Amino acid sequence: MTQGHAVDLHRPKVEFFDLAESTNTDPKGFVRPVETFHVEPWGLYMARTADHPEFHYLESWLIPELSLRASVIHFRPTHPRDQDYYLDIGDFGPSGPHTWTSVDHYLDIVVRRGREALLLDVDELLAAHAAGYLTLPEAQRAIEAATVAVDGIASHGYDFEAWLRSLGITIDWR
């Protein structure tokens, strides 16, 4: 949130991933084709094109044990961003034999490799809890997951993937 601006209060954003149909249904209900799904014992990888005005391709790893969705967003040259990874905090995991669900719990972390892990949207989390969109245990889990992630990334020289490797999780991108 920028100082002086109101919080954009909304219910948690929910996404669905259908591995059998190779689709990703975004929070607004748009069904998007997925180029690649890859399942590991600790998570799900998804890669797909995007028709967003600021980026053209999205790669994400859903890591349920860490309450993380780690994304590499391929921005268009006209919309560069100073970030290597964008981490969403929430509930992520299998919801059926060939489906996964993502429920975003407001907190985000922007990782700039070797420099910082910046926690965002604490105001959104607190407003969502106050509005009854998140229970106290859900809000507490989100704060704890974000704290673990920021601490882990910082303790590995702001190298997100090095932190994951220390936990026995090896990810790759396209």
Side-chain angles (χ1 to χ4, degrees):
M1 177 179 114
T2 306
Q3 188 173 6
H5 292 209
V7 172
D8 176 24
L9 188 59
H10 57 83
R11 293 194 176 279
K13 294 177 182 175
V14 179
E15 286 189 56
F16 302 97
F17 304 85
D18 188 324
L19 284 63
E21 297 293 322
S22 293
T23 60
N24 168 215
T25 304
D26 75 12
K28 294 179 182 174
F30 294 106
V31 179
R32 308 206 186 275
V34 172
E35 288 182 5
T36 305
F37 278 125
H38 177 76
V39 179
E40 290 288 343
W42 42 261
L44 172 70
Y45 172 76
M46 178 207 69
R48 67 170 177 81
T49 59
D51 57 0
H52 194 277
E54 295 181 11
F55 61 93
H56 61 89
Y57 204 80
L58 174 65
E59 298 179 81
S60 292
W61 277 99
L62 280 63
I63 308 171
E65 182 180 331
L66 299 175
S67 299
L68 287 179
R69 176 181 180 169
S71 297
V72 169
I73 303 168
H74 299 265
F75 289 96
R76 298 182 189 281
T78 54
H79 291 85
R81 292 274 175 92
D82 183 19
Q83 70 183 42
D84 296 297
Y85 305 99
Y86 193 89
L87 310 181
D88 293 290
I89 305 295
D91 287 334
F92 310 102
S95 52
H98 302 288
T99 58
W100 282 57
T101 301
S102 158
V103 181
D104 187 287
H105 285 172
Y106 304 94
L107 296 179
D108 302 305
I109 303 168
V110 170
V111 180
R112 295 178 178 113
R113 190 180 300 114
R115 295 183 289 150
E116 68 181 341
L118 181 62
L119 179 63
L120 305 173
D121 302 330
V122 173
D123 55 341
E124 284 187 35
L125 173 83
L126 296 174
H129 170 63
Y133 295 158
L134 281 184
T135 66
L136 183 57
E138 288 170 327
Q140 183 173 343
R141 277 197 321 272
I143 292 166
E144 290 170 354
T147 302
V148 166
V150 169
D151 182 58
I153 295 164
S155 70
H156 286 81
Y158 297 102
D159 186 331
F160 172 64
E161 291 187 41
W163 171 56
L164 290 182
R165 284 191 301 273
S166 78
L167 300 172
I169 298 172
T170 302
I171 61 174
D172 55 5
W173 309 92
R174 80 175 184 134

